Amino acid sequence: MGFMQALRARWSAADTLVCVGLDPEPAKFPQTFAADPDAVFAFCRDIADATAEFACAFKPQIAHFAALGAEDALERLIAHLHAAHPGVPVILDAKRGDIGSTAQRYAVEAFGRYRADAVTVNPYLGRDSVQPFLDHADRGVVILCRTSNPGAGDLQDLIVPDDGGGGRPLYQHVAGTIARDWNTHGNCALVVGATWPAQLAEVRAIVGDMPLLVPGVGAQGGDAEAVVRNAKSADGTGLLVSSSRAILYASPGDDYADAAASAARSLRDTLNAAR
Amino acid sequence: MGFMQALRARWSAADTLVCVGLDPEPAKFPQTFAADPDAVFAFCRDIADATAEFACAFKPQIAHFAALGAEDALERLIAHLHAAHPGVPVILDAKRGDIGSTAQRYAVEAFGRYRADAVTVNPYLGRDSVQPFLDHADRGVVILCRTSNPGAGDLQDLIVPDDGGGGRPLYQHVAGTIARDWNTHGNCALVVGATWPAQLAEVRAIVGDMPLLVPGVGAQGGDAEAVVRNAKSADGTGLLVSSSRAILYASPGDDYADAAASAARSLRDTLNAAR
C-alpha cells in the first residue's frame, strides 16, 4: 500500500488529524533517561508507543538525530514504528533539495536506508530536483510551500506573475505548479504553517484535496481550530497537524508518556471538534 | 582564522580557483577498492591527497555518505582533511534549510559534529532559517542562488518586484538581499551554476567581491573559461569552481589518483588562463 492510501486509511480508521513529531532533545528528556546510552531511541519509542492511537502519522526530524550522530537510533526507531504501528505512516522530515543526481542519493537515504513512507523536500531547485523523489510513486513527497517561521515571507510571499496577467505570492505559485504539473503520480503533499490561517485557506482552494502537513500549532503558537476551519479538505480530512515539543515534553517527570498521550489526545479532540 | 580569511589566504598562496568535490559513488571506484570495507573513506582520502595542491577548497557532498550510512567515514575524512591539508577549507555540501530551532541542530551537525569550515544552505525559508548558520561568524554560509540544474529556473527565474518599481528574477533578489541584509558578519557566499554564464555576470555585479561557489563545469557541461570571464571578482579571485565527477572518476584504473591530480591541475590551468 502506498503512502497516500495508507494515510487515507489511517484518517478513516483512527479518526485523527494529529501528526506526532519526533524531535529528540536530550536536555529535555526526563531524568530517568540520564543514564541510558540509548536514550534517543528509547525516549522516542516510548512517546510513539504512547501516542500512536492518536496519530495519523509520525514525523521524525532528522536534524535532531544527525546533530547527535544518532543515525543508528533513527534507523531503529523507524523500524520499530513500522513493526509496532504498521497502520501509521512515517514521514521523514529532512527538507532535502539538490540537483537530480544528488537528489537520487537523498531519495535512497530517505526511502532505502531509513524506509520512510514519505519525506519533506524543498522546491527551490525546481522540478528536476524533486523528480527523483516523485518517481517513487508509492512514497509521499511533502513539499515546502508556506512555512511556519517568522521569516517565511522573505521569499515565499514575493509576488510573481500568474497565468492571467496579474500576480500572486510565490507560495501560491508553488502550490499551483505542484498540483497541476508535479503530482502526476498523486503522491504530493504540501507543508503550510499553522501560523498563517489565511494562507492555509488560499492553498486549500488551489490544491483540491491534496494533503497538507501543518506544523506550528503548540510551541509555535498556531491556532489549531483555525487550521481545521481553513484547511480541511471536502471530506473533513486532508490535514496532518504536526505537534512536536508540546507532545514530547508535556511533562519532565516520570509521567512523560502519559502526559504525551494526553497532549496528543487533547489535540486530536480539539481538531475533531472543529471539523 | 575564519573561513573567509582562510579562503582568501588559500587563493593567494596556491593560485587556484578549483574546489574539489568529494561525492563518493562506490560503483565507480577503481577495482582496488572492491574488497576494502573502508573504501568510501580511503578513496576520498586518496583523491584529496592527490589534488590538494590544486584545490582552494574541498567540498564533500553529504548525500553520498548518508545514502551509504557512512557518516563515520565523513567524520574521519574531514578530520583527515584538516590534519593533512590545514590550509584548504572544507565546505560541507548539505543544502540544509529549516525553521530556526531545527536549523540550530543542522548548524551543530555541520560545524560541531563534522567540523566543516562552511556549509551550503537553502534560502527558501527566509532569513531566520539561515541565521543560526550566519551566527557562526567564523564559518562560511554558502547560500543557493542560481543552481546548475535544468529546472533551476522553475522558481529562481520567476520575476519578483525590485526596489525601483520594476522586476527582476528571484535569484537576483536573493543575491541582493543576502549582500545587503544577511551578510552582517561578512561570512556569506553564493551558489551560482556554471551552466548559466550570463547569470553569473549579473550576480557578480550585484554582490561585489562575495565568493561564488560554481558547480556545473565538467560533467554538467559548464564552460570553465566563461565562468572566470563572467564571474571573477575585481582582484581575479572570488570563485570556487567546483568539479566532482570529472576529477574523482578521471580514471577507473589503478592510476585514479594521478588521473584525478591531472584533471584538477588541468582545470586550475584553464581557469587561471582566463583570469
Side-chain angles (χ1 to χ4, degrees):
Chain A
M1 184 159 58
F3 169 76
M4 286 295 170
Q5 295 163 281
L7 178 61
R8 292 182 202 288
R10 182 67 188 171
W11 277 329
S12 176
D15 195 32
T16 176
L17 304 175
V18 175
C19 174
V20 174
L22 298 168
D23 302 10
E25 298 178 63
K28 296 182 179 175
F29 288 175
Q31 186 62 28
T32 182
F33 292 97
D36 185 344
D38 201 22
V40 170
F41 170 80
F43 176 74
C44 291
R45 177 202 59 205
D46 288 359
I47 296 290
D49 291 350
T51 60
E53 69 175 292
F54 313 114
C56 70
F58 291 116
K59 184 177 71 67
Q61 209 299 317
I62 196 169
H64 290 84
F65 295 84
L68 302 167
E71 283 81 10
D72 176 67
L74 177 58
E75 288 182 14
R76 287 182 288 120
L77 176 64
I78 295 177
H80 171 79
L81 298 176
H82 288 317
H85 312 290
V88 187
V90 177
I91 302 167
L92 183 65
D93 193 1
K95 300 187 177 68
R96 300 304 194 225
D98 211 309
I99 65 169
S101 57
T102 302
Q104 287 178 353
R105 303 308 290 162
Y106 279 127
V108 170
E109 178 192 29
F111 300 144
R113 179 184 183 187
Y114 288 115
R115 298 179 54 217
D117 299 298
V119 65
T120 58
V121 303
N122 187 308
Y124 187 70
L125 283 89
R127 179 177 178 157
D128 66 307
S129 73
V130 180
Q131 195 64 45
F133 300 96
L134 297 174
D135 287 342
H136 293 260
D138 63 333
R139 309 296 175 107
V141 185
V142 187
I143 305 170
L144 298 182
C145 178
R146 184 62 167 79
T147 56
S148 59
N149 56 310
D154 289 352
L155 269 66
Q156 298 162 25
D157 286 358
L158 293 172
I159 301 298
V160 303
D162 66 15
D163 297 335
R168 57 179 174 176
L170 176 59
Y171 76 87
Q172 292 185 21
H173 175 92
V174 167
T177 300
I178 292 167
R180 190 185 62 226
D181 295 335
W182 296 14
N183 195 28
T184 52
H185 294 309
N187 59 343
C188 291
L190 298 180
V191 174
V192 185
T195 39
W196 315 101
Q199 286 93 329
L200 272 164
E202 290 159 349
V203 172
R204 175 56 72 201
I206 293 170
V207 301
D209 67 353
M210 184 179 290
L212 303 181
L213 173 63
V214 184
V217 300
Q220 294 181 59
D223 175 344
E225 293 180 10
V227 167
V228 176
R229 283 196 308 272
N230 283 280
K232 65 183 177 188
S233 61
D235 71 353
T237 65
L239 294 171
L240 304 105
V241 180
S242 181
S243 179
S244 301
R245 284 168 276 181
I247 291 174
L248 291 168
Y249 309 110
S251 166
D254 287 348
D255 62 341
Y256 63 95
D258 288 345
S262 292
R265 183 193 300 110
S266 173
L267 179 57
R268 179 200 64 177
D269 293 345
T270 299
L271 296 171
N272 283 349
R275 281 163 82 174
Chain B
M1 184 158 60
F3 170 75
M4 285 295 170
Q5 295 163 281
L7 178 60
R8 292 181 202 287
R10 182 67 187 170
W11 276 329
S12 176
D15 196 32
T16 177
L17 303 176
V18 176
C19 174
V20 174
L22 298 168
D23 302 10
E25 298 178 64
K28 296 182 179 176
F29 288 177
Q31 187 61 29
T32 183
F33 291 98
D36 185 345
D38 200 22
V40 170
F41 170 80
F43 176 74
C44 291
R45 177 202 58 204
D46 287 359
I47 295 291
D49 292 349
T51 60
E53 68 176 293
F54 312 114
C56 69
F58 291 116
K59 183 177 72 65
Q61 208 299 315
I62 196 168
H64 290 83
F65 295 84
L68 302 167
E71 282 82 9
D72 176 67
L74 178 57
E75 288 183 14
R76 287 182 289 118
L77 176 63
I78 295 178
H80 171 79
L81 298 176
H82 288 317
H85 312 291
V88 187
V90 177
I91 302 166
L92 184 65
D93 193 1
K95 300 189 175 68
R96 299 305 194 223
D98 211 308
I99 65 168
S101 58
T102 303
Q104 287 178 353
R105 303 307 291 162
Y106 280 128
V108 169
E109 178 193 30
F111 299 145
R113 177 185 184 188
Y114 289 115
R115 297 181 53 220
D117 300 299
V119 65
T120 57
V121 303
N122 187 309
Y124 187 71
L125 283 90
R127 179 176 178 157
D128 66 308
S129 74
V130 180
Q131 194 64 44
F133 300 97
L134 297 174
D135 286 342
H136 293 260
D138 63 332
R139 309 296 176 106
V141 185
V142 187
I143 305 168
L144 297 183
C145 177
R146 183 63 168 79
T147 56
S148 59
N149 56 310
D154 289 352
L155 270 66
Q156 298 162 25
D157 286 358
L158 293 172
I159 302 299
V160 303
D162 66 15
D163 297 334
R168 58 178 175 176
L170 177 60
Y171 76 88
Q172 292 185 21
H173 175 91
V174 168
T177 300
I178 292 168
R180 190 185 61 227
D181 296 333
W182 296 13
N183 196 27
T184 51
H185 294 309
N187 59 341
C188 291
L190 298 180
V191 174
V192 187
T195 39
W196 316 101
Q199 287 93 329
L200 272 164
E202 290 158 350
V203 172
R204 174 57 71 202
I206 292 169
V207 301
D209 66 352
M210 185 181 289
L212 302 181
L213 173 63
V214 184
V217 300
Q220 293 181 59
D223 175 343
E225 294 180 10
V227 168
V228 176
R229 282 197 308 273
N230 283 280
K232 67 184 177 186
S233 61
D235 71 354
T237 64
L239 293 171
L240 304 104
V241 180
S242 181
S243 180
S244 301
R245 285 168 276 180
I247 291 174
L248 292 168
Y249 310 109
S251 167
D254 288 348
D255 62 338
Y256 63 95
D258 287 345
S262 292
R265 183 193 300 110
S266 174
L267 179 56
R268 178 201 64 178
D269 293 345
T270 299
L271 296 170
N272 282 349
R275 280 162 82 174

PDB file of all heavy atoms in Angstrom, chain A residues 129-141:
ATOM      1  N   SER A 129      14.799  18.595  -9.466  1.00  0.00           N
ATOM      2  CA  SER A 129      15.422  18.267  -8.176  1.00  0.00           C
ATOM      3  C   SER A 129      14.472  17.459  -7.284  1.00  0.00           C
ATOM      4  O   SER A 129      14.924  16.795  -6.347  1.00  0.00           O
ATOM      5  CB  SER A 129      15.836  19.548  -7.448  1.00  0.00           C
ATOM      6  OG  SER A 129      14.707  20.253  -6.938  1.00  0.00           O
ATOM      7  N   VAL A 130      13.182  17.524  -7.575  1.00  0.00           N
ATOM      8  CA  VAL A 130      12.186  16.786  -6.793  1.00  0.00           C
ATOM      9  C   VAL A 130      11.806  15.469  -7.477  1.00  0.00           C
ATOM     10  O   VAL A 130      11.329  14.528  -6.842  1.00  0.00           O
ATOM     11  CB  VAL A 130      10.932  17.678  -6.565  1.00  0.00           C
ATOM     12  CG1 VAL A 130       9.857  16.967  -5.769  1.00  0.00           C
ATOM     13  CG2 VAL A 130      11.337  18.968  -5.838  1.00  0.00           C
ATOM     14  N   GLN A 131      12.054  15.410  -8.793  1.00  0.00           N
ATOM     15  CA  GLN A 131      11.629  14.240  -9.569  1.00  0.00           C
ATOM     16  C   GLN A 131      12.138  12.903  -9.022  1.00  0.00           C
ATOM     17  O   GLN A 131      11.374  11.918  -9.010  1.00  0.00           O
ATOM     18  CB  GLN A 131      12.052  14.401 -11.031  1.00  0.00           C
ATOM     19  CG  GLN A 131      11.364  13.436 -11.980  1.00  0.00           C
ATOM     20  CD  GLN A 131       9.855  13.671 -12.026  1.00  0.00           C
ATOM     21  OE1 GLN A 131       9.399  14.811 -12.114  1.00  0.00           O
ATOM     22  NE2 GLN A 131       9.081  12.600 -11.931  1.00  0.00           N
ATOM     23  N   PRO A 132      13.412  12.805  -8.566  1.00  0.00           N
ATOM     24  CA  PRO A 132      13.855  11.507  -8.036  1.00  0.00           C
ATOM     25  C   PRO A 132      13.026  11.023  -6.846  1.00  0.00           C
ATOM     26  O   PRO A 132      12.937   9.816  -6.619  1.00  0.00           O
ATOM     27  CB  PRO A 132      15.312  11.761  -7.627  1.00  0.00           C
ATOM     28  CG  PRO A 132      15.756  12.876  -8.535  1.00  0.00           C
ATOM     29  CD  PRO A 132      14.538  13.774  -8.653  1.00  0.00           C
ATOM     30  N   PHE A 133      12.429  11.949  -6.108  1.00  0.00           N
ATOM     31  CA  PHE A 133      11.511  11.553  -5.029  1.00  0.00           C
ATOM     32  C   PHE A 133      10.135  11.205  -5.610  1.00  0.00           C
ATOM     33  O   PHE A 133       9.548  10.189  -5.257  1.00  0.00           O
ATOM     34  CB  PHE A 133      11.373  12.689  -4.006  1.00  0.00           C
ATOM     35  CG  PHE A 133      12.658  13.095  -3.344  1.00  0.00           C
ATOM     36  CD1 PHE A 133      13.400  14.162  -3.817  1.00  0.00           C
ATOM     37  CD2 PHE A 133      13.149  12.398  -2.248  1.00  0.00           C
ATOM     38  CE1 PHE A 133      14.591  14.541  -3.215  1.00  0.00           C
ATOM     39  CE2 PHE A 133      14.340  12.762  -1.638  1.00  0.00           C
ATOM     40  CZ  PHE A 133      15.063  13.837  -2.126  1.00  0.00           C
ATOM     41  N   LEU A 134       9.653  12.050  -6.520  1.00  0.00           N
ATOM     42  CA  LEU A 134       8.335  11.814  -7.127  1.00  0.00           C
ATOM     43  C   LEU A 134       8.269  10.460  -7.818  1.00  0.00           C
ATOM     44  O   LEU A 134       7.209   9.828  -7.860  1.00  0.00           O
ATOM     45  CB  LEU A 134       8.023  12.907  -8.150  1.00  0.00           C
ATOM     46  CG  LEU A 134       7.903  14.340  -7.622  1.00  0.00           C
ATOM     47  CD1 LEU A 134       7.737  15.313  -8.797  1.00  0.00           C
ATOM     48  CD2 LEU A 134       6.745  14.478  -6.652  1.00  0.00           C
ATOM     49  N   ASP A 135       9.412  10.027  -8.373  1.00  0.00           N
ATOM     50  CA  ASP A 135       9.442   8.770  -9.115  1.00  0.00           C
ATOM     51  C   ASP A 135       9.115   7.562  -8.245  1.00  0.00           C
ATOM     52  O   ASP A 135       8.786   6.493  -8.765  1.00  0.00           O
ATOM     53  CB  ASP A 135      10.806   8.571  -9.784  1.00  0.00           C
ATOM     54  CG  ASP A 135      11.008   9.484 -10.985  1.00  0.00           C
ATOM     55  OD1 ASP A 135      10.004  10.012 -11.510  1.00  0.00           O
ATOM     56  OD2 ASP A 135      12.165   9.671 -11.391  1.00  0.00           O
ATOM     57  N   HIS A 136       9.260   7.718  -6.934  1.00  0.00           N
ATOM     58  CA  HIS A 136       8.829   6.650  -6.025  1.00  0.00           C
ATOM     59  C   HIS A 136       7.325   6.819  -5.793  1.00  0.00           C
ATOM     60  O   HIS A 136       6.892   7.425  -4.811  1.00  0.00           O
ATOM     61  CB  HIS A 136       9.593   6.739  -4.698  1.00  0.00           C
ATOM     62  CG  HIS A 136      11.056   6.453  -4.807  1.00  0.00           C
ATOM     63  ND1 HIS A 136      11.601   5.240  -4.470  1.00  0.00           N
ATOM     64  CD2 HIS A 136      12.087   7.208  -5.252  1.00  0.00           C
ATOM     65  CE1 HIS A 136      12.909   5.259  -4.678  1.00  0.00           C
ATOM     66  NE2 HIS A 136      13.230   6.451  -5.151  1.00  0.00           N
ATOM     67  N   ALA A 137       6.553   6.272  -6.703  1.00  0.00           N
ATOM     68  CA  ALA A 137       5.111   6.552  -6.705  1.00  0.00           C
ATOM     69  C   ALA A 137       4.411   6.061  -5.446  1.00  0.00           C
ATOM     70  O   ALA A 137       3.355   6.572  -5.078  1.00  0.00           O
ATOM     71  CB  ALA A 137       4.461   5.918  -7.941  1.00  0.00           C
ATOM     72  N   ASP A 138       5.003   5.094  -4.764  1.00  0.00           N
ATOM     73  CA  ASP A 138       4.376   4.558  -3.552  1.00  0.00           C
ATOM     74  C   ASP A 138       4.797   5.314  -2.292  1.00  0.00           C
ATOM     75  O   ASP A 138       4.345   4.974  -1.204  1.00  0.00           O
ATOM     76  CB  ASP A 138       4.715   3.077  -3.387  1.00  0.00           C
ATOM     77  CG  ASP A 138       6.199   2.834  -3.195  1.00  0.00           C
ATOM     78  OD1 ASP A 138       7.013   3.658  -3.681  1.00  0.00           O
ATOM     79  OD2 ASP A 138       6.572   1.841  -2.536  1.00  0.00           O
ATOM     80  N   ARG A 139       5.645   6.331  -2.459  1.00  0.00           N
ATOM     81  CA  ARG A 139       6.078   7.115  -1.299  1.00  0.00           C
ATOM     82  C   ARG A 139       5.506   8.530  -1.421  1.00  0.00           C
ATOM     83  O   ARG A 139       5.255   9.018  -2.527  1.00  0.00           O
ATOM     84  CB  ARG A 139       7.613   7.188  -1.226  1.00  0.00           C
ATOM     85  CG  ARG A 139       8.307   5.845  -1.327  1.00  0.00           C
ATOM     86  CD  ARG A 139       7.979   4.906  -0.151  1.00  0.00           C
ATOM     87  NE  ARG A 139       8.593   3.597  -0.375  1.00  0.00           N
ATOM     88  CZ  ARG A 139       9.659   3.164   0.313  1.00  0.00           C
ATOM     89  NH1 ARG A 139      10.183   3.898   1.276  1.00  0.00           N
ATOM     90  NH2 ARG A 139      10.182   1.971   0.051  1.00  0.00           N
ATOM     91  N   GLY A 140       5.362   9.191  -0.302  1.00  0.00           N
ATOM     92  CA  GLY A 140       4.870  10.547  -0.307  1.00  0.00           C
ATOM     93  C   GLY A 140       6.000  11.556  -0.415  1.00  0.00           C
ATOM     94  O   GLY A 140       7.093  11.340   0.126  1.00  0.00           O
ATOM     95  N   VAL A 141       5.733  12.657  -1.125  1.00  0.00           N
ATOM     96  CA  VAL A 141       6.710  13.737  -1.277  1.00  0.00           C
ATOM     97  C   VAL A 141       6.030  15.009  -0.768  1.00  0.00           C
ATOM     98  O   VAL A 141       5.100  15.522  -1.391  1.00  0.00           O
ATOM     99  CB  VAL A 141       7.145  13.894  -2.739  1.00  0.00           C
ATOM    100  CG1 VAL A 141       8.256  14.930  -2.853  1.00  0.00           C
ATOM    101  CG2 VAL A 141       7.604  12.546  -3.307  1.00  0.00           C
TER     102      VAL A 141
END
